[in-house]
mmCIF file of all heavy atoms in Angstrom:
data_model
loop_
_atom_site.group_PDB
_atom_site.id
_atom_site.type_symbol
_atom_site.label_atom_id
_atom_site.label_comp_id
_atom_site.label_asym_id
_atom_site.label_seq_id
_atom_site.Cartn_x
_atom_site.Cartn_y
_atom_site.Cartn_z
ATOM 1 N N PHE A 147 5.242 -13.215 -4.866
ATOM 2 C CA PHE A 147 4.443 -13.858 -3.827
ATOM 3 C C PHE A 147 4.764 -13.267 -2.458
ATOM 4 O O PHE A 147 3.889 -13.102 -1.610
ATOM 5 C CB PHE A 147 4.676 -15.368 -3.805
ATOM 6 C CG PHE A 147 3.729 -16.073 -2.874
ATOM 7 C CD1 PHE A 147 2.439 -16.341 -3.273
ATOM 8 C CD2 PHE A 147 4.123 -16.439 -1.599
ATOM 9 C CE1 PHE A 147 1.549 -16.966 -2.413
ATOM 10 C CE2 PHE A 147 3.234 -17.068 -0.732
ATOM 11 C CZ PHE A 147 1.947 -17.331 -1.150
ATOM 12 N N GLU A 154 -0.430 -8.840 3.241
ATOM 13 C CA GLU A 154 -1.276 -9.433 4.270
ATOM 14 C C GLU A 154 -0.863 -8.986 5.668
ATOM 15 O O GLU A 154 -1.711 -8.734 6.525
ATOM 16 C CB GLU A 154 -1.243 -10.972 4.174
ATOM 17 C CG GLU A 154 -1.846 -11.520 2.914
ATOM 18 C CD GLU A 154 -3.311 -11.161 2.764
ATOM 19 O OE1 GLU A 154 -4.068 -11.396 3.715
ATOM 20 O OE2 GLU A 154 -3.687 -10.639 1.712
ATOM 21 N N MET A 158 -3.455 -7.150 8.062
ATOM 22 C CA MET A 158 -3.829 -7.706 9.365
ATOM 23 C C MET A 158 -3.857 -6.611 10.420
ATOM 24 O O MET A 158 -4.803 -6.501 11.201
ATOM 25 C CB MET A 158 -2.800 -8.757 9.798
ATOM 26 C CG MET A 158 -3.063 -10.116 9.257
ATOM 27 S SD MET A 158 -4.160 -11.001 10.339
ATOM 28 C CE MET A 158 -3.995 -12.643 9.686
ATOM 29 N N TYR A 161 -6.668 -3.998 9.750
ATOM 30 C CA TYR A 161 -8.013 -4.465 10.118
ATOM 31 C C TYR A 161 -8.331 -4.085 11.553
ATOM 32 O O TYR A 161 -9.407 -3.590 11.879
ATOM 33 C CB TYR A 161 -8.102 -6.003 10.038
ATOM 34 C CG TYR A 161 -7.996 -6.606 8.672
ATOM 35 C CD1 TYR A 161 -7.583 -7.920 8.518
ATOM 36 C CD2 TYR A 161 -8.298 -5.881 7.542
ATOM 37 C CE1 TYR A 161 -7.471 -8.498 7.269
ATOM 38 C CE2 TYR A 161 -8.197 -6.449 6.290
ATOM 39 C CZ TYR A 161 -7.773 -7.756 6.157
ATOM 40 O OH TYR A 161 -7.665 -8.330 4.932
ATOM 41 N N GLY A 168 -14.126 -0.149 18.548
ATOM 42 C CA GLY A 168 -15.064 -1.215 18.888
ATOM 43 C C GLY A 168 -16.522 -0.822 19.016
ATOM 44 O O GLY A 168 -17.306 -1.586 19.549
ATOM 45 N N PRO A 170 -20.370 0.359 17.369
ATOM 46 C CA PRO A 170 -21.172 -0.222 16.284
ATOM 47 C C PRO A 170 -20.646 0.131 14.896
ATOM 48 O O PRO A 170 -20.460 -0.747 14.052
ATOM 49 C CB PRO A 170 -22.559 0.373 16.512
ATOM 50 C CG PRO A 170 -22.586 0.774 17.931
ATOM 51 C CD PRO A 170 -21.179 1.090 18.328
ATOM 52 N N ARG A 174 -18.716 -2.463 12.101
ATOM 53 C CA ARG A 174 -19.332 -2.608 10.788
ATOM 54 C C ARG A 174 -18.341 -2.212 9.691
ATOM 55 O O ARG A 174 -18.169 -2.916 8.708
ATOM 56 C CB ARG A 174 -20.593 -1.750 10.705
ATOM 57 C CG ARG A 174 -21.431 -2.032 9.488
ATOM 58 C CD ARG A 174 -22.712 -1.254 9.527
ATOM 59 N NE ARG A 174 -22.432 0.181 9.489
ATOM 60 C CZ ARG A 174 -23.176 1.088 10.104
ATOM 61 N NH1 ARG A 174 -24.200 0.704 10.827
ATOM 62 N NH2 ARG A 174 -22.879 2.364 10.017
ATOM 63 N N PHE A 177 -15.722 -4.840 9.298
ATOM 64 C CA PHE A 177 -16.156 -6.074 8.639
ATOM 65 C C PHE A 177 -16.108 -5.925 7.122
ATOM 66 O O PHE A 177 -15.589 -6.794 6.418
ATOM 67 C CB PHE A 177 -17.566 -6.477 9.080
ATOM 68 C CG PHE A 177 -17.953 -7.819 8.546
ATOM 69 C CD1 PHE A 177 -17.621 -8.969 9.234
ATOM 70 C CD2 PHE A 177 -18.592 -7.938 7.319
ATOM 71 C CE1 PHE A 177 -17.928 -10.216 8.730
ATOM 72 C CE2 PHE A 177 -18.901 -9.186 6.797
ATOM 73 C CZ PHE A 177 -18.581 -10.321 7.515
ATOM 74 N N LEU A 184 -10.131 -9.460 1.805
ATOM 75 C CA LEU A 184 -9.986 -10.905 1.608
ATOM 76 C C LEU A 184 -10.248 -11.252 0.150
ATOM 77 O O LEU A 184 -9.531 -12.061 -0.457
ATOM 78 C CB LEU A 184 -10.956 -11.670 2.510
ATOM 79 C CG LEU A 184 -10.521 -11.846 3.959
ATOM 80 C CD1 LEU A 184 -11.586 -12.595 4.746
ATOM 81 C CD2 LEU A 184 -9.220 -12.634 4.026
ATOM 82 N N LEU A 192 -4.830 -15.214 -7.614
ATOM 83 C CA LEU A 192 -5.146 -15.676 -8.965
ATOM 84 C C LEU A 192 -4.154 -15.089 -9.963
ATOM 85 O O LEU A 192 -3.651 -15.783 -10.852
ATOM 86 C CB LEU A 192 -6.576 -15.267 -9.356
ATOM 87 C CG LEU A 192 -7.724 -15.878 -8.562
ATOM 88 C CD1 LEU A 192 -9.057 -15.487 -9.156
ATOM 89 C CD2 LEU A 192 -7.614 -17.380 -8.517
ATOM 90 N N GLY A 195 -0.744 -16.783 -9.467
ATOM 91 C CA GLY A 195 -0.756 -18.142 -10.015
ATOM 92 C C GLY A 195 -0.672 -18.126 -11.530
ATOM 93 O O GLY A 195 0.070 -18.901 -12.141
ATOM 94 N N GLY A 196 -1.433 -17.234 -12.132
ATOM 95 C CA GLY A 196 -1.415 -17.139 -13.588
ATOM 96 C C GLY A 196 -0.044 -16.752 -14.105
ATOM 97 O O GLY A 196 0.445 -17.316 -15.091
ATOM 98 N N TYR A 198 2.781 -17.290 -12.644
ATOM 99 C CA TYR A 198 3.693 -18.427 -12.462
ATOM 100 C C TYR A 198 3.489 -19.459 -13.567
ATOM 101 O O TYR A 198 4.443 -19.995 -14.120
ATOM 102 C CB TYR A 198 3.484 -19.062 -11.091
ATOM 103 C CG TYR A 198 4.444 -20.203 -10.838
ATOM 104 C CD1 TYR A 198 5.788 -19.935 -10.599
ATOM 105 C CD2 TYR A 198 4.025 -21.516 -10.862
ATOM 106 C CE1 TYR A 198 6.681 -20.966 -10.394
ATOM 107 C CE2 TYR A 198 4.909 -22.548 -10.648
ATOM 108 C CZ TYR A 198 6.238 -22.272 -10.416
ATOM 109 O OH TYR A 198 7.130 -23.288 -10.211
ATOM 110 N N ALA A 199 2.225 -19.722 -13.892
ATOM 111 C CA ALA A 199 1.956 -20.711 -14.931
ATOM 112 C C ALA A 199 2.473 -20.236 -16.282
ATOM 113 O O ALA A 199 2.945 -21.028 -17.095
ATOM 114 C CB ALA A 199 0.456 -20.983 -15.011
ATOM 115 N N LEU A 204 8.476 -16.367 -10.096
ATOM 116 C CA LEU A 204 7.806 -15.243 -9.428
ATOM 117 C C LEU A 204 8.798 -14.203 -8.953
ATOM 118 O O LEU A 204 8.416 -13.193 -8.382
ATOM 119 C CB LEU A 204 6.977 -15.745 -8.236
ATOM 120 C CG LEU A 204 5.723 -16.517 -8.629
ATOM 121 C CD1 LEU A 204 5.036 -17.093 -7.412
ATOM 122 C CD2 LEU A 204 4.762 -15.635 -9.395
ATOM 123 N N THR A 252 -15.320 5.173 4.949
ATOM 124 C CA THR A 252 -15.729 4.456 6.154
ATOM 125 C C THR A 252 -14.533 4.027 6.988
ATOM 126 O O THR A 252 -14.509 4.225 8.203
ATOM 127 C CB THR A 252 -16.531 3.201 5.763
ATOM 128 O OG1 THR A 252 -17.002 3.357 4.435
ATOM 129 C CG2 THR A 252 -17.662 2.966 6.693
ATOM 130 N N ARG A 255 -12.643 7.024 8.593
ATOM 131 C CA ARG A 255 -13.386 7.660 9.677
ATOM 132 C C ARG A 255 -13.338 6.800 10.921
ATOM 133 O O ARG A 255 -13.391 7.290 12.039
ATOM 134 C CB ARG A 255 -14.833 7.868 9.257
ATOM 135 C CG ARG A 255 -15.122 9.287 8.803
ATOM 136 C CD ARG A 255 -16.580 9.591 9.005
ATOM 137 N NE ARG A 255 -17.376 8.598 8.292
ATOM 138 C CZ ARG A 255 -17.826 8.786 7.062
ATOM 139 N NH1 ARG A 255 -17.569 9.903 6.438
ATOM 140 N NH2 ARG A 255 -18.546 7.871 6.466
ATOM 141 N N GLY A 549 5.561 -23.954 -16.414
ATOM 142 C CA GLY A 549 4.877 -24.472 -15.242
ATOM 143 C C GLY A 549 4.200 -25.809 -15.480
ATOM 144 O O GLY A 549 3.169 -26.108 -14.909
ATOM 145 N N LEU B 26 -24.153 -12.520 7.797
ATOM 146 C CA LEU B 26 -22.719 -12.228 7.854
ATOM 147 C C LEU B 26 -21.880 -13.491 7.936
ATOM 148 O O LEU B 26 -20.818 -13.576 7.327
ATOM 149 C CB LEU B 26 -22.409 -11.350 9.072
ATOM 150 C CG LEU B 26 -22.564 -9.846 8.878
ATOM 151 C CD1 LEU B 26 -21.919 -9.115 10.036
ATOM 152 C CD2 LEU B 26 -21.918 -9.403 7.580
ATOM 153 N N TYR B 43 -6.660 -23.310 -7.315
ATOM 154 C CA TYR B 43 -6.277 -22.753 -8.613
ATOM 155 C C TYR B 43 -4.759 -22.616 -8.715
ATOM 156 O O TYR B 43 -4.160 -22.948 -9.737
ATOM 157 C CB TYR B 43 -6.981 -21.409 -8.783
ATOM 158 C CG TYR B 43 -6.399 -20.492 -9.831
ATOM 159 C CD1 TYR B 43 -6.858 -20.522 -11.144
ATOM 160 C CD2 TYR B 43 -5.402 -19.574 -9.504
ATOM 161 C CE1 TYR B 43 -6.334 -19.680 -12.096
ATOM 162 C CE2 TYR B 43 -4.871 -18.732 -10.457
ATOM 163 C CZ TYR B 43 -5.346 -18.780 -11.755
ATOM 164 O OH TYR B 43 -4.820 -17.938 -12.686
ATOM 165 N N LEU B 44 -4.125 -22.134 -7.612
ATOM 166 C CA LEU B 44 -2.664 -22.020 -7.600
ATOM 167 C C LEU B 44 -2.014 -23.372 -7.876
ATOM 168 O O LEU B 44 -1.087 -23.471 -8.686
ATOM 169 C CB LEU B 44 -2.193 -21.514 -6.234
ATOM 170 C CG LEU B 44 -1.897 -20.029 -6.070
ATOM 171 C CD1 LEU B 44 -1.426 -19.764 -4.658
ATOM 172 C CD2 LEU B 44 -0.831 -19.582 -7.056
ATOM 173 N N MET B 47 -2.321 -24.280 -11.395
ATOM 174 C CA MET B 47 -1.460 -23.458 -12.236
ATOM 175 C C MET B 47 -0.030 -23.979 -12.246
ATOM 176 O O MET B 47 0.678 -23.884 -13.241
ATOM 177 C CB MET B 47 -1.466 -22.011 -11.730
ATOM 178 C CG MET B 47 -2.708 -21.256 -12.093
ATOM 179 S SD MET B 47 -2.745 -20.865 -13.831
ATOM 180 C CE MET B 47 -4.146 -21.770 -14.369
ATOM 181 N N GLY B 48 0.394 -24.517 -11.117
ATOM 182 C CA GLY B 48 1.740 -25.077 -11.066
ATOM 183 C C GLY B 48 1.857 -26.327 -11.920
ATOM 184 O O GLY B 48 2.950 -26.724 -12.316
ATOM 185 N N ASP B 73 3.711 -29.099 -8.443
ATOM 186 C CA ASP B 73 4.956 -28.332 -8.388
ATOM 187 C C ASP B 73 5.320 -28.006 -6.936
ATOM 188 O O ASP B 73 4.520 -27.428 -6.211
ATOM 189 C CB ASP B 73 4.736 -27.029 -9.177
ATOM 190 C CG ASP B 73 6.006 -26.232 -9.317
ATOM 191 O OD1 ASP B 73 6.816 -26.257 -8.380
ATOM 192 O OD2 ASP B 73 6.174 -25.580 -10.358
ATOM 193 N N LEU B 75 7.288 -25.816 -5.567
ATOM 194 C CA LEU B 75 7.293 -24.388 -5.225
ATOM 195 C C LEU B 75 5.873 -23.908 -4.941
ATOM 196 O O LEU B 75 5.606 -23.218 -3.957
ATOM 197 C CB LEU B 75 7.885 -23.571 -6.378
ATOM 198 C CG LEU B 75 7.915 -22.082 -6.069
ATOM 199 C CD1 LEU B 75 9.306 -21.667 -5.647
ATOM 200 C CD2 LEU B 75 7.433 -21.230 -7.208
ATOM 201 N N VAL B 76 4.955 -24.363 -5.808
ATOM 202 C CA VAL B 76 3.563 -23.964 -5.627
ATOM 203 C C VAL B 76 3.017 -24.533 -4.325
ATOM 204 O O VAL B 76 2.239 -23.880 -3.623
ATOM 205 C CB VAL B 76 2.731 -24.420 -6.833
ATOM 206 C CG1 VAL B 76 1.261 -24.259 -6.547
ATOM 207 C CG2 VAL B 76 3.111 -23.625 -8.056
ATOM 208 N N LEU B 79 3.912 -22.153 -1.744
ATOM 209 C CA LEU B 79 3.085 -20.944 -1.811
ATOM 210 C C LEU B 79 1.706 -21.204 -1.217
ATOM 211 O O LEU B 79 1.176 -20.406 -0.430
ATOM 212 C CB LEU B 79 2.918 -20.482 -3.263
ATOM 213 C CG LEU B 79 4.162 -20.150 -4.071
ATOM 214 C CD1 LEU B 79 3.750 -19.521 -5.394
ATOM 215 C CD2 LEU B 79 5.074 -19.207 -3.327
ATOM 216 N N MET B 90 -7.085 -15.176 8.628
ATOM 217 C CA MET B 90 -8.047 -14.152 8.222
ATOM 218 C C MET B 90 -9.477 -14.609 8.494
ATOM 219 O O MET B 90 -10.308 -13.829 8.948
ATOM 220 C CB MET B 90 -7.907 -13.871 6.721
ATOM 221 C CG MET B 90 -6.630 -13.174 6.365
ATOM 222 S SD MET B 90 -6.599 -11.542 7.071
ATOM 223 C CE MET B 90 -4.993 -11.014 6.567
ATOM 224 N N PHE B 93 -10.189 -14.382 12.112
ATOM 225 C CA PHE B 93 -10.392 -12.989 12.503
ATOM 226 C C PHE B 93 -11.759 -12.488 12.042
ATOM 227 O O PHE B 93 -12.479 -11.826 12.797
ATOM 228 C CB PHE B 93 -9.281 -12.118 11.904
ATOM 229 C CG PHE B 93 -9.415 -10.677 12.241
ATOM 230 C CD1 PHE B 93 -9.160 -10.232 13.526
ATOM 231 C CD2 PHE B 93 -9.808 -9.757 11.290
ATOM 232 C CE1 PHE B 93 -9.301 -8.897 13.850
ATOM 233 C CE2 PHE B 93 -9.958 -8.421 11.609
ATOM 234 C CZ PHE B 93 -9.696 -7.984 12.885
ATOM 235 N N ARG B 100 -18.335 -9.771 17.099
ATOM 236 C CA ARG B 100 -18.353 -8.421 17.668
ATOM 237 C C ARG B 100 -19.434 -7.571 16.997
ATOM 238 O O ARG B 100 -20.112 -6.787 17.661
ATOM 239 C CB ARG B 100 -16.982 -7.747 17.509
ATOM 240 C CG ARG B 100 -15.920 -8.303 18.402
ATOM 241 C CD ARG B 100 -16.085 -7.865 19.857
ATOM 242 N NE ARG B 100 -15.947 -6.422 20.013
ATOM 243 C CZ ARG B 100 -16.894 -5.629 20.466
ATOM 244 N NH1 ARG B 100 -18.055 -6.132 20.795
ATOM 245 N NH2 ARG B 100 -16.690 -4.342 20.593
ATOM 246 N N GLU B 104 -22.497 -5.715 18.924
ATOM 247 C CA GLU B 104 -22.771 -4.277 18.845
ATOM 248 C C GLU B 104 -24.135 -3.989 18.235
ATOM 249 O O GLU B 104 -24.772 -2.995 18.580
ATOM 250 C CB GLU B 104 -21.681 -3.579 18.003
ATOM 251 C CG GLU B 104 -20.296 -3.604 18.627
ATOM 252 C CD GLU B 104 -20.211 -2.779 19.901
ATOM 253 O OE1 GLU B 104 -20.984 -1.810 20.030
ATOM 254 O OE2 GLU B 104 -19.385 -3.119 20.768
ATOM 255 N N HIS B 105 -24.554 -4.823 17.293
ATOM 256 C CA HIS B 105 -25.761 -4.503 16.524
ATOM 257 C C HIS B 105 -26.944 -5.416 16.847
ATOM 258 O O HIS B 105 -28.048 -5.154 16.377
ATOM 259 C CB HIS B 105 -25.485 -4.607 15.019
ATOM 260 C CG HIS B 105 -24.500 -3.593 14.528
ATOM 261 N ND1 HIS B 105 -24.879 -2.387 13.987
ATOM 262 C CD2 HIS B 105 -23.157 -3.596 14.489
ATOM 263 C CE1 HIS B 105 -23.802 -1.697 13.643
ATOM 264 N NE2 HIS B 105 -22.745 -2.413 13.945
ATOM 265 N N LEU B 113 -27.996 -3.889 9.145
ATOM 266 C CA LEU B 113 -26.842 -3.214 9.738
ATOM 267 C C LEU B 113 -26.806 -1.743 9.371
ATOM 268 O O LEU B 113 -25.969 -0.996 9.869
ATOM 269 C CB LEU B 113 -25.537 -3.878 9.255
ATOM 270 C CG LEU B 113 -25.210 -5.219 9.882
ATOM 271 C CD1 LEU B 113 -23.936 -5.774 9.293
ATOM 272 C CD2 LEU B 113 -25.058 -5.079 11.380
ATOM 273 N N ARG B 116 -23.402 1.563 4.638
ATOM 274 C CA ARG B 116 -21.987 1.464 5.006
ATOM 275 C C ARG B 116 -21.363 2.820 5.282
ATOM 276 O O ARG B 116 -20.182 2.901 5.585
ATOM 277 C CB ARG B 116 -21.229 0.746 3.888
ATOM 278 C CG ARG B 116 -21.554 -0.723 3.854
ATOM 279 C CD ARG B 116 -20.887 -1.357 2.683
ATOM 280 N NE ARG B 116 -21.217 -0.621 1.460
ATOM 281 C CZ ARG B 116 -20.556 -0.771 0.338
ATOM 282 N NH1 ARG B 116 -19.537 -1.580 0.287
ATOM 283 N NH2 ARG B 116 -20.898 -0.100 -0.745
ATOM 284 N N GLU B 117 -22.103 3.868 5.140
ATOM 285 C CA GLU B 117 -21.491 5.199 5.371
ATOM 286 C C GLU B 117 -21.280 5.395 6.863
ATOM 287 O O GLU B 117 -22.150 5.699 7.606
ATOM 288 C CB GLU B 117 -22.379 6.294 4.789
ATOM 289 C CG GLU B 117 -22.068 6.551 3.324
ATOM 290 C CD GLU B 117 -20.669 7.097 3.127
ATOM 291 O OE1 GLU B 117 -20.297 8.077 3.786
ATOM 292 O OE2 GLU B 117 -19.921 6.527 2.319
#
Side-chain angles (χ1 to χ4, degrees):
Chain A
F147 188 80
E154 294 299 309
M158 275 273 193
Y161 293 157
R174 191 175 63 213
F177 187 87
L184 280 179
L192 295 186
Y198 182 72
L204 289 174
T252 341
R255 260 206 304 266
Chain B
L26 274 193
Y43 162 91
L44 262 181
M47 284 288 116
D73 186 326
L75 180 101
V76 169
L79 301 188
M90 291 294 177
F93 179 72
R100 288 286 297 119
E104 294 293 332
H105 295 265
L113 285 178
R116 288 175 307 165
E117 273 295 309

